[in-house]
């Protein structure tokens, strides 16, 4: 694996002594499954970002279109209206800004506005997506998703989820590299909950290290408050803090280098404790 993750204006070490990064979720949508509508107004989004900074966040991930199961696509102009003002407002906050989008036009505009990373749930498969990011210096997260948010959880099916997800990520990474994207700009996401049932999700969680080694790239894991944790614990979304923190610490233990979460403060503390213990070995 490369020694660093290059993320626009920022560079993060990835060596064995480096602590896994905590990416904080900032949804500027009215309908996201965990915090829809809470940070839709710009002033509330800025206040939330300030709180995440205080809590020790490493990267802020801004999303303008919900990707919860059953969510409908959002018009480009509406997504731009939600996301770009937030990027402009936060670009001098001192941490990388990631934009969660699959639309090439927004990728380009977000990078102009000051974004340092593009996080694409479609794995840069949309026409023009690779070209939108290839010549920049932004970090990229390539995610796997079976089907689309509208249908992905209706009947997800795999013969071998680890093999199939790994193959998809390898293929997309090869396309990006062929377009001139340096490996140091890349991270990969198995896509927990995106076209997977509980069995699939647990298989991928166990195999994070295997997936990372196969591609020699850092894995980003995002399980925050997701239904897989509700299935395990029987708890509703608002009561999944402990499960979310546990899942992400386990992901770090399995080899994840970035965890994407709603609960920044609790996750940062937990990852710091785990990392401190690991450094004693």
């Amino acid at each position: 694996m490369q020694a660093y993750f290059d993320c626009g204006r920022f560079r993060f070490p990835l060596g064995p002594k480096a602590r896994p990064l905590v990416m904080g979720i900032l949804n500027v949508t009215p309908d996201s499954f965990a915090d829809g509508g809470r940070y839709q107004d710009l002033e509330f989004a800025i206040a939330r970002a300030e709180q995440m900074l205080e809590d020790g966040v490493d990267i802020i991930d801004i999303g303008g279109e919900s990707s919860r199961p059953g969510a409908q696509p959002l018009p480009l102009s509406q997504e731009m209206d939600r996301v770009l003002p937030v990027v402009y407002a936060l670009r001098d906050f001192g941490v990388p800004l990631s934009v969660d989008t699959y639309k090439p036009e927004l990728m380009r505009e977000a990078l102009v506005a000051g974004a340092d990373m593009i996080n694409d749930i479609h794995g840069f498969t949309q026409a023009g997506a690779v070209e939108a990011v290839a010549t920049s210096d932004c970090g990229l997260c390539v995610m796997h998703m079976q089907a689309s948010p509208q249908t992905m959880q209706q009947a997800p099916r795999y013969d071998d989820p680890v093999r199939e997800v790994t193959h998809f990520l390898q293929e997309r990474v090869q396309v990006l590299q062929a377009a001139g994207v340096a490996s140091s700009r890349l991270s990969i996401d198995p896509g927990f909950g995106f076209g997977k049932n509980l069995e699939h999700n647990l298989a991928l969680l166990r195999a994070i290290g295997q997936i990372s080694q196969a591609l020699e790239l850092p894995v980003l894991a995002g399980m925050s408050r997701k239904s897989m944790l509700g299935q395990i614990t029987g708890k509703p979304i608002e009561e999944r803090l402990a499960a979310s923190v546990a899942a992400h610490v386990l992901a770090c233990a399995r080899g994840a280098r970035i965890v994407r979460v709603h609960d920044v403060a609790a996750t940062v503390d937990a990852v710091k404790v785990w990392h401190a213990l690991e450094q004693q070995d």
Side-chain angles (χ1 to χ4, degrees), residues 13-110:
L14 294 175
K17 298 293 185 182
R19 174 179 64 78
L21 305 172
V22 176
M23 171 185 275
I25 299 168
L26 181 57
N27 286 323
V28 288
T29 63
D31 54 350
S32 290
F33 83 99
D35 54 4
R38 194 174 300 177
Y39 310 117
Q40 193 175 3
D41 293 338
L42 182 58
E43 61 182 301
F44 293 115
I46 294 171
R48 176 58 184 151
E50 290 172 340
Q51 183 62 58
M52 286 196 283
L53 282 177
E54 187 176 324
D55 293 339
V57 77
D58 297 298
I59 304 170
I60 295 176
D61 190 43
I62 304 163
E65 178 179 316
S66 175
S67 56
R68 75 190 192 286
Q72 297 300 309
L74 188 72
L76 171 64
S77 59
Q78 201 169 345
E79 189 176 355
M80 283 190 169
D81 288 345
R82 291 176 181 179
V83 170
L84 293 177
V86 180
V87 176
Y88 278 112
L90 302 182
R91 61 182 176 178
D92 294 323
F93 264 44
V95 297
L97 301 180
S98 170
V99 170
D100 180 356
T101 188
Y102 58 87
K103 297 183 176 78
E105 298 89 347
L106 179 53
M107 293 178 189
R108 294 181 188 277
E109 292 298 325

Side-chain angles (χ1 to χ4, degrees), residues 205-206 208 221 223 243-256 259 271 274:
L205 178 55
R206 292 187 195 100
I208 282 177
M223 295 170 281
S244 294
V245 172
H248 291 106
V249 170
L250 289 169
C252 292
R254 293 282 180 167
V259 291
V271 170
W274 170 82

Side-chain angles (χ1 to χ4, degrees), residues 51-249:
Q51 183 62 58
M52 286 196 283
L53 282 177
E54 187 176 324
D55 293 339
V57 77
D58 297 298
I59 304 170
I60 295 176
D61 190 43
I62 304 163
E65 178 179 316
S66 175
S67 56
R68 75 190 192 286
Q72 297 300 309
L74 188 72
L76 171 64
S77 59
Q78 201 169 345
E79 189 176 355
M80 283 190 169
D81 288 345
R82 291 176 181 179
V83 170
L84 293 177
V86 180
V87 176
Y88 278 112
L90 302 182
R91 61 182 176 178
D92 294 323
F93 264 44
V95 297
L97 301 180
S98 170
V99 170
D100 180 356
T101 188
Y102 58 87
K103 297 183 176 78
E105 298 89 347
L106 179 53
M107 293 178 189
R108 294 181 188 277
E109 292 298 325
L111 293 173
V112 171
D116 299 284
M117 181 174 178
I118 301 295
N119 178 16
D120 184 355
I121 63 171
H122 285 268
F124 299 92
T125 58
Q126 303 296 298
V130 171
E131 293 78 7
V133 299
T135 59
S136 74
D137 60 359
C138 68
L140 304 176
C141 182
V142 183
M143 198 192 85
H144 173 274
M145 173 172 56
Q146 188 177 90
S148 67
Q150 298 98 298
T151 62
M152 64 187 180
Q153 290 306 107
Q154 290 178 4
R157 184 173 179 179
Y158 301 84
D159 293 323
D160 182 336
V162 175
R163 178 181 59 80
E164 292 170 49
V165 169
T166 302
H167 177 76
F168 171 85
L169 294 172
Q170 286 174 323
E171 188 273 332
R172 297 314 304 161
V173 164
Q174 289 170 0
V175 169
L176 286 159
Q177 290 173 329
V181 176
S183 295
S184 63
R185 292 174 52 199
L186 293 168
S187 63
I188 50 176
D189 182 350
F192 294 100
F194 283 83
K196 286 98 176 171
N197 63 25
L198 179 58
E199 180 183 350
H200 303 146
N201 286 319
L202 292 176
L204 291 165
L205 178 55
R206 292 187 195 100
I208 282 177
Q210 176 184 333
I211 296 169
S212 181
Q213 290 173 8
L215 280 83
E216 298 185 328
L217 291 173
V219 167
L220 183 154
M223 295 170 281
S224 186
R225 305 185 193 175
K226 288 189 175 178
S227 61
M228 63 179 285
L229 304 180
Q231 289 177 264
I232 294 169
T233 64
K235 299 288 182 66
I237 291 171
E238 63 274 11
E239 295 178 19
R240 295 176 191 166
L241 169 60
S244 294
V245 172
H248 291 106
V249 170

